[in-house]
């Protein structure tokens, strides 16, 4: 994996990550669940780099982009 999981979530978006988690759970019929912090972030419109609300500050990148 060329990047860590939090950076990946920042790039693809919290909302997309939640949808992937829910679809995977339903498809595999597991009892896994989406982490509460992702639901909290989505509810607060902190969706990752597309909204400027990231988990991480990346050196050399403008975090407000």
């Amino acid at each position: 994996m060329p990047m860590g999981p939090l950076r990946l979530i920042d790039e693809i978006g919290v909302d997309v990550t939640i949808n992937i988690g829910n679809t995977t759970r339903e498809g595999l019929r597991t009892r896994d669940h989406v982490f509460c912090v992702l639901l909290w972030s989505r509810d607060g419109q902190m969706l990752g780099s597309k909204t400027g609300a990231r988990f991480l500050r990346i050196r050399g990148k403008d975090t407000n982009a």
Side-chain angles (χ1 to χ4, degrees), residues 1-13 17 38 55-56:
M1 185 184 315
M3 63 183 73
L6 291 179
R7 182 168 177 196
L8 181 62
I9 291 169
D10 275 343
E11 296 298 327
I12 67 171
T17 303
L38 294 176
F55 281 114
L56 307 170

Side-chain angles (χ1 to χ4, degrees), residues 21-26 28-35:
N22 289 334
T23 301
T24 302
R25 185 192 72 232
E26 291 168 10
L28 298 176
R29 297 182 183 200
T30 66
R31 290 189 289 170
D32 294 340
H33 63 278
V34 174
F35 291 107

Side-chain angles (χ1 to χ4, degrees), residues 5-65:
L6 291 179
R7 182 168 177 196
L8 181 62
I9 291 169
D10 275 343
E11 296 298 327
I12 67 171
V14 170
D15 52 339
V16 174
T17 303
I18 291 170
N19 286 337
I20 291 169
N22 289 334
T23 301
T24 302
R25 185 192 72 232
E26 291 168 10
L28 298 176
R29 297 182 183 200
T30 66
R31 290 189 289 170
D32 294 340
H33 63 278
V34 174
F35 291 107
C36 292
V37 69
L38 294 176
L39 299 173
W40 176 78
S41 295
R42 181 198 58 198
D43 293 345
Q45 296 299 307
M46 297 179 287
L47 302 177
S49 61
K50 62 185 169 186
T51 62
R54 304 176 72 95
F55 281 114
L56 307 170
R57 289 182 182 240
I58 303 170
R59 282 185 223 158
K61 278 197 164 188
D62 179 11
T63 58
N64 293 322

